[in-house]
Amino acid sequence: MKILIYHWNSYNQKDVEEAFVKTGNYITILERKTENIEEDMAYVYTVTDMLEQQKPDMLFSVNFFPVLAQACHETGIPYVCWNCDSPLLAMYNNAVFYNTNFIFTFDRSNYEEFKNLGVNHIYHLPLAANTEHFKNILKCNNTDIVLSKYDISFIGSMYENNSFDRIASSLPDYLCGYFDGALYAQLQVSGGNILEKLLTHDICRQLEEITDYRKSPDSFADIRTLFSTTVLGFKAASMQREFYLNSLAAYLQKTLSNKHKCFLHLFTGSNTDLLPFIKCHGKVDYNTEMPVIFRQSKINLNMTIPNIKTGIPLRVWDILSCGGFLMTDFRIELMDFFIPGEDIVVFEDAYELEDKAGFYLSHDTIRNKIAQNAYNKISKGHTCQNRIENILQTISKEI
């Protein structure tokens, strides 16, 4: 097939492009970026002209872009996307209903939501591993890799610059107190998201009166969706990560593994002033440094942002792709692919995180076996190439 791919800086962009080539397709890259993914008619006309000239079999992008959907709708060319973010606010746009769309999304709850809204060509497709890509990176760095260099590692943002902290002082005391309670309640929930449900009709009405959310005329995202994701979701993730990391670091201060002191390492570009017992490092490069750290760590942590309700985030697949040992919070879709205690380790609160971390730090053979089990499993059936083949097979039946 001849495929035009919209190129942007998503983490898995390169993996997807390589997978299309490996499955025998000819790809060309759409490098020019849109200034507004929902409202940019000049860009729509540009893409429309390109589609009419090149006549590709499809236009593909990582994540849904309404302007791309509109251009494909105008030309009758299939628009295919694979969402790696959830929820994706751009999906709450009338362009999502075009019959030329073929939308794949990794979070099953997100798939069910839009299926129920009447979106025809929408499919559930988990994210994927790229073992070959990371194998090559690790091979290039082989002489620099020191196994078990780090006891426990987490790579990611602390979300300290979130919208909630910026607007909290301007909220009425009642709302601020209510949201504090809602955020605390969210921290008590393992593997779920209750924030949207806690935004009652009365709370949403008050938010509409005091906030100024600007959205496209074609957007049908309501205040409940916007506020629960862009404001409360990131604040909850910030609170969750700070609490879990500080609790685990404090636990490690009094824990010995094979008679050695253990440490928690954080690799982030975020402010770390509120993380006193953690060994903090700077932000690392996704392609060159991250895989090495995953491989060098006895335990790699994943903490999923509450916005992802059921799906498996990309960090999980990336850790396992490097042969890393994974400890993750719970999401129901993990059970579709992995067996806790055999492929991965799941924790549901800070106490379980501490207890299991202490155990696996002291049991190298068990820990290494679990990591190898997961690596073997994803290498055989959950690579990016497997997913692209799935996309192509699905579309071939529909077109």
Side-chain angles (χ1 to χ4, degrees):
M1 297 181 73
K2 183 180 178 182
I3 302 170
L4 179 63
I5 298 180
Y6 179 79
H7 183 94
W8 64 287
N9 60 341
S10 65
Y11 286 122
N12 57 347
Q13 182 75 40
K14 184 178 179 181
D15 296 344
V16 168
E17 292 172 5
E18 290 178 351
F20 271 114
V21 173
K22 287 179 180 178
T23 50
N25 300 283
Y26 174 78
I27 69 170
T28 54
I29 304 300
L30 174 55
E31 295 278 4
R32 181 173 174 179
K33 306 295 188 294
T34 177
E35 295 182 2
N36 186 319
I37 65 173
E38 295 192 69
E39 293 182 273
D40 191 346
M41 285 308 301
Y43 188 78
V44 171
Y45 295 144
T46 297
V47 177
T48 299
D49 289 341
M50 185 178 296
L51 292 172
E52 290 176 341
Q53 291 172 16
Q54 295 189 13
K55 292 181 171 53
D57 294 301
M58 72 169 72
L59 170 60
F60 178 90
S61 67
V62 175
N63 280 356
F64 178 80
F65 289 79
V67 291
L68 299 181
Q70 187 170 351
C72 286
H73 175 67
E74 296 292 335
T75 56
I77 289 175
Y79 172 50
V80 183
C81 66
W82 184 15
N83 293 342
C84 62
D85 293 315
S86 181
L88 189 62
L89 293 181
M91 287 275 286
Y92 296 85
N93 185 291
N94 290 329
V96 79
F97 296 105
Y98 291 144
N99 283 328
T100 44
N101 295 336
F102 295 85
I103 302 170
F104 296 81
T105 185
F106 80 98
D107 188 301
R108 184 179 288 115
S109 69
N110 188 243
Y111 154 77
E112 292 172 348
E113 176 186 2
F114 281 90
K115 190 70 175 177
N116 291 334
L117 286 173
V119 177
N120 291 325
H121 300 138
I122 189 163
Y123 314 89
H124 174 239
L125 186 71
L127 297 176
N130 194 339
T131 52
E132 287 300 318
H133 173 67
F134 287 131
K135 185 188 297 183
N136 291 334
I137 294 173
L138 293 170
K139 185 177 180 180
C140 293
N141 291 276
N142 190 51
T143 56
D144 299 323
I145 293 179
V146 179
L147 297 180
S148 301
K149 180 178 180 179
Y150 307 109
D151 297 308
I152 304 178
S153 297
F154 177 69
I155 300 177
S157 172
M158 295 300 296
Y159 296 123
E160 79 280 14
N161 294 318
N162 58 78
S163 298
F164 182 82
D165 287 339
R166 289 196 293 272
I167 69 170
S169 61
S170 63
L171 293 173
D173 290 342
Y174 165 74
L175 281 183
C176 206
Y178 184 87
F179 292 142
D180 284 342
L183 289 164
Y184 178 78
Q186 176 61 54
L187 292 184
Q188 314 311 309
V189 177
S190 175
N193 186 325
I194 63 172
L195 292 173
E196 192 168 341
K197 295 178 180 178
L198 292 176
L199 294 181
T200 64
H201 177 75
D202 182 58
I203 294 293
C204 289
R205 180 184 55 78
Q206 294 181 58
L207 287 173
E208 287 177 337
E209 293 175 355
I210 63 177
T211 58
D212 182 24
Y213 277 102
R214 300 183 183 277
K215 61 182 183 178
S216 161
D218 286 325
S219 173
F220 57 86
D222 58 18
I223 190 68
R224 178 177 284 107
T225 300
L226 289 166
F227 199 83
S228 66
T229 56
T230 62
V231 180
L232 295 181
F234 287 100
K235 176 60 177 178
S238 178
M239 294 170 62
Q240 175 200 54
R241 292 181 180 189
E242 182 182 325
F243 174 68
Y244 276 152
L245 292 177
N246 275 332
S247 297
L248 182 57
Y251 168 80
L252 292 176
Q253 288 290 304
K254 55 187 179 182
T255 300
L256 294 177
S257 176
N258 298 325
K259 300 182 180 180
H260 294 288
K261 194 79 172 180
C262 298
F263 296 97
L264 173 57
H265 296 261
L266 171 65
F267 300 84
T268 185
S270 299
N271 184 295
T272 58
D273 290 345
L274 299 178
L275 306 168
F277 302 116
I278 298 170
K279 288 187 174 293
C280 297
H281 309 262
K283 186 176 181 180
V284 296
D285 183 82
Y286 178 85
N287 284 302
T288 60
E289 298 173 289
M290 182 196 73
V292 177
I293 294 168
F294 286 157
R295 191 78 179 95
Q296 290 180 316
S297 302
K298 293 180 181 178
I299 295 175
N300 293 283
L301 296 180
N302 172 64
M303 291 174 282
T304 309
I305 187 169
N307 291 346
I308 299 175
K309 296 179 180 179
T310 64
I312 305 173
L314 186 60
R315 185 188 291 106
V316 166
W317 299 103
D318 287 343
I319 290 171
L320 301 181
S321 294
C322 301
F325 175 87
L326 170 70
M327 285 188 64
T328 178
D329 54 2
F330 180 75
R331 285 298 182 276
I332 188 64
E333 290 185 50
L334 287 165
M335 304 301 103
D336 295 339
F337 302 96
F338 306 109
I339 301 174
E342 291 187 19
D343 307 311
I344 61 173
V345 172
V346 176
F347 62 88
E348 298 203 36
D349 55 42
Y351 302 107
E352 190 173 14
L353 171 60
E354 295 166 9
D355 183 60
K356 290 184 175 180
F359 174 83
Y360 287 106
L361 283 173
S362 301
H363 292 81
D364 296 347
T365 301
I366 298 175
R367 188 182 68 242
N368 293 335
K369 177 61 175 175
I370 289 174
Q372 189 63 49
N373 288 344
Y375 182 82
N376 292 341
K377 179 172 288 187
I378 64 174
S379 298
K380 293 176 181 177
H382 302 292
T383 66
C384 194
Q385 186 171 336
N386 294 142
R387 301 289 192 253
I388 295 302
E389 289 172 348
N390 189 308
I391 288 175
L392 294 172
Q393 290 170 2
T394 300
I395 294 171
S396 66
K397 296 176 184 177
E398 298 285 350
I399 297 178

